[in-house]
């Protein structure tokens, strides 16, 4: 999000920001000091089930657009706030949408399966709203294809690759103060059910004794707000007596890059994905990556990536074993070239 804000801040007289009331992100307001940025306030999400709250938020958005003569109403993430585009004609400005993999490929697509009664009116509303956008950006071809399918090709989204900070990666050196004894395998995604850490942990029981004793298995985001999921993951870890786990808190970008640079392998088991930044960062460092059996864009995640054939924990264990014994050099060169070409910061 900050990349978008930085981009426009250098090209616009003013930027006005309205946050979600129930945002799960910790907002550091000091970042916006001494910038051409005005924090207007916060709104509730678009909700069909809370019509009064939705009307209140709609009136607030419309008043902000009118008062500050807004040229572009830029919405971050499609679910649920793409639905504000239903009111485009009354906003009297252009509307842009930045999507992410999960909201398009999973959440909105599930409405289209019509498994629940409300899906019969929620999905058509999303279809109508998405057609109203002037611009839609996504990070992968699979997202672009899905949006075109939902809108009957009335909208052609732009693919804007998720960037990675190459300047930081170049500056990152081996950090001997990481406090992990020996080599380690990194499972970098946040602690949410979407990222399917149960599969990763379950697979470890199939690894041979040599791998179990030679590596530390590192997971991140121990301070996640999803305390119930943390408890589940810690319970699964506690079932092992022959594996050394390290469960660390969420790291800032610099600390994460230090941790990533020294990893032997990166494993991602997400149930849904677009263009995972952590995978691209690992590729830039020359670290082998295992990805789940999802549809990824081959121009970035091609033959140089190790992909699971199924959601089977034994299959993942076999893949981990194979990668640890593989000489990654030729794939590493191709991976780094792909990242430099398609995913610059």
């Amino acid at each position: 999000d900050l990349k978008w804000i930085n981009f426009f801040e250098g090209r616009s007289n003013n930027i006005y920001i309205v946050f979600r009331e129930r945002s799960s992100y910790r907002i550091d307001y000091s970042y916006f000091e001494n910038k051409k940025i005005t924090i207007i306030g916060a709104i509730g999400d678009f909700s069909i089930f809370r019509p009064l709250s939705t009307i209140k938020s709609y009136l607030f958005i419309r008043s902000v657009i009118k008062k500050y003569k807004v040229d572009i109403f830029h919405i971050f993430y499609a679910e649920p706030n793409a639905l504000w585009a239903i009111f485009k004609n009354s906003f009297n400005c252009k509307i842009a949408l930045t999507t992410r993999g999960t909201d398009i490929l999973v959440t909105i697509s599930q409405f289209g399966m019509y498994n629940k009664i409300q899906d019969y009116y929620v999905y058509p509303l999303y279809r109508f709203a998405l057609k109203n956008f002037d611009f839609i950006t996504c990070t992968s071809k699979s997202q672009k294809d899905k949006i075109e399918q939902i809108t009957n090709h009335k909208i052609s989204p732009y693919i804007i690759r998720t960037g990675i900070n190459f300047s930081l990666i170049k500056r990152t050196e081996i950090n001997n103060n990481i406090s992990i004894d020996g080599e380690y395998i990194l499972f970098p995604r946040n602690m949410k059910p979407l990222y399917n850490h149960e599969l990763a942990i379950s697979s470890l029981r199939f690894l041979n004794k040599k791998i179990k004793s030679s590596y530390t298995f590192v997971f991140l985001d121990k301070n996640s707000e999803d305390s119930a999921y943390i408890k589940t993951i810690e319970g699964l870890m506690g079932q092992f007596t022959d594996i050394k786990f390290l469960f660390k808190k969420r790291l800032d970008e610099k600390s994460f890059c230090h941790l990533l640079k020294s990893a032997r392998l990166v494993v991602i088991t997400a149930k849904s994905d677009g263009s995972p930044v952590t995978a691209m960062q690992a590729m830039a460092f020359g670290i082998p990556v295992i990805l789940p059996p999802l549809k990824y864009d081959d121009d970035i995640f091609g033959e140089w990536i190790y992909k699971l054939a199924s959601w089977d924990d034994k299959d993942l264990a076999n893949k981990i074993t194979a990668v640890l014994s593989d000489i990654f050099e030729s794939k590493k060169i191709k991976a780094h070239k792909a990242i430099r070409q398609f995913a610059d910061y």
Side-chain angles (χ1 to χ4, degrees):
D1 298 357
L2 294 180
K3 293 173 192 174
W4 278 113
I5 293 169
N6 287 335
F7 176 85
F8 286 114
E9 202 251 341
R11 292 163 174 79
S12 175
N13 292 329
N14 291 288
I15 295 178
Y16 304 101
I17 298 178
V18 177
F19 290 108
R20 295 173 59 190
E21 285 181 349
R22 284 170 288 279
S23 174
S24 60
Y25 297 99
R26 299 177 182 89
I27 299 168
D28 180 7
Y29 290 97
S30 65
Y31 174 84
F32 304 104
E33 295 176 359
N34 302 317
K35 292 180 178 288
K36 295 181 294 185
I37 295 173
T38 303
I39 308 299
I40 302 297
I43 60 169
D45 288 337
F46 189 108
S47 174
I48 293 170
F49 305 105
R50 297 191 304 275
L52 293 179
S53 173
T54 298
I55 292 170
K56 180 181 177 181
S57 295
Y58 158 71
L59 293 173
F60 177 66
I61 293 170
R62 194 175 70 169
S63 68
V64 167
I65 290 173
K66 183 177 180 180
K67 178 179 179 180
Y68 295 99
K69 299 179 180 178
V70 171
D71 298 307
I72 300 175
F73 177 23
H74 189 173
I75 298 173
F76 286 98
Y77 310 142
E79 200 280 321
N81 288 316
L83 293 173
W84 291 121
I86 291 171
F87 304 112
K88 180 189 175 182
N89 290 339
S90 68
F91 291 150
N92 196 30
C93 69
K94 293 186 180 299
I95 306 183
L97 173 67
T98 294
T99 69
R100 55 184 171 183
T102 305
D103 53 8
I104 295 297
L105 300 176
V106 178
T107 314
I108 294 177
S109 296
Q110 285 177 344
F111 290 131
M113 298 175 69
Y114 301 110
N115 292 322
K116 300 177 181 178
I117 294 176
Q118 63 260 34
D119 295 350
Y120 285 90
Y121 53 87
V122 172
Y123 188 68
L125 284 175
Y126 272 111
R127 173 172 284 172
F128 176 76
L130 290 172
K131 290 178 182 179
N132 278 347
F133 280 95
D134 296 286
F135 313 100
I136 297 180
T137 71
C138 50
T139 59
S140 67
K141 188 175 184 300
S142 56
Q143 290 168 254
K144 174 181 168 67
D145 292 344
K146 178 58 69 173
I147 292 170
E148 290 178 342
Q149 175 192 331
I150 292 172
T151 62
N152 294 323
H153 295 271
K154 299 294 184 182
I155 286 287
S156 183
Y158 298 87
I159 296 179
I160 299 179
R161 300 294 187 184
T162 305
I164 58 175
N165 192 342
F166 270 103
S167 61
L168 176 59
I169 287 172
K170 286 180 179 179
R171 297 194 308 270
T172 302
E173 299 178 355
I174 296 293
N175 186 349
N176 296 320
N177 298 317
I178 289 179
S179 69
I180 301 177
D181 295 331
E183 293 189 296
Y184 55 92
I185 297 172
L186 180 61
F187 303 80
R189 302 306 286 271
N190 288 343
M191 279 294 145
K192 297 179 181 179
L194 171 68
Y195 296 124
N196 201 16
H197 294 291
E198 298 94 327
L199 174 65
I201 295 173
S202 177
S203 73
L204 304 183
R205 60 197 169 106
F206 296 108
L207 297 176
N208 60 51
K209 291 183 179 179
K210 182 178 180 181
I211 292 177
K212 288 180 179 179
S213 61
S214 300
Y215 293 90
T216 299
F217 298 85
V218 181
F219 291 78
L220 302 179
D221 200 24
K222 187 176 181 178
N223 54 334
S224 167
E225 294 178 358
D226 193 338
S227 57
Y229 190 63
I230 293 292
K231 187 175 181 180
T232 296
I233 295 303
E234 288 179 327
L236 294 174
M237 290 178 177
Q239 295 175 11
F240 290 85
T241 58
D242 56 348
I243 284 181
K244 182 164 43 171
F245 289 102
L246 179 60
F247 200 179
K248 296 176 70 69
K249 292 182 179 180
R250 186 184 298 119
L251 302 175
D252 60 37
E253 186 177 23
K254 183 177 180 181
S255 300
F256 175 73
C257 282
H258 280 300
L259 182 70
L260 182 60
K261 187 177 179 69
S262 299
R264 177 63 180 84
L265 168 66
V266 167
V267 180
I268 293 174
T269 52
K271 296 176 183 177
S272 172
D273 235 340
S275 297
V277 174
T278 48
M280 293 190 288
Q281 289 172 316
M283 291 162 63
F285 276 122
I287 310 299
V289 178
I290 294 176
L291 290 179
L294 298 172
K295 185 179 178 181
Y296 291 96
D297 289 358
D298 287 336
D299 50 3
I300 293 185
F301 306 105
E303 56 169 335
W304 45 88
I305 293 292
Y306 300 90
K307 295 178 183 175
L308 293 177
S310 69
W311 294 101
D312 181 69
D313 52 2
K314 194 169 185 178
D315 181 31
L316 176 55
N318 291 336
K319 187 69 71 175
I320 291 173
T321 302
V323 174
L324 293 177
S325 61
D326 191 13
I327 299 174
F328 183 63
E329 203 59 37
S330 63
K331 288 188 175 184
K332 179 165 65 175
I333 294 171
K334 292 179 180 178
H336 191 271
K337 183 179 179 181
I339 287 300
R340 291 295 308 183
Q341 183 176 355
F342 291 107
D344 208 346
Y345 192 69

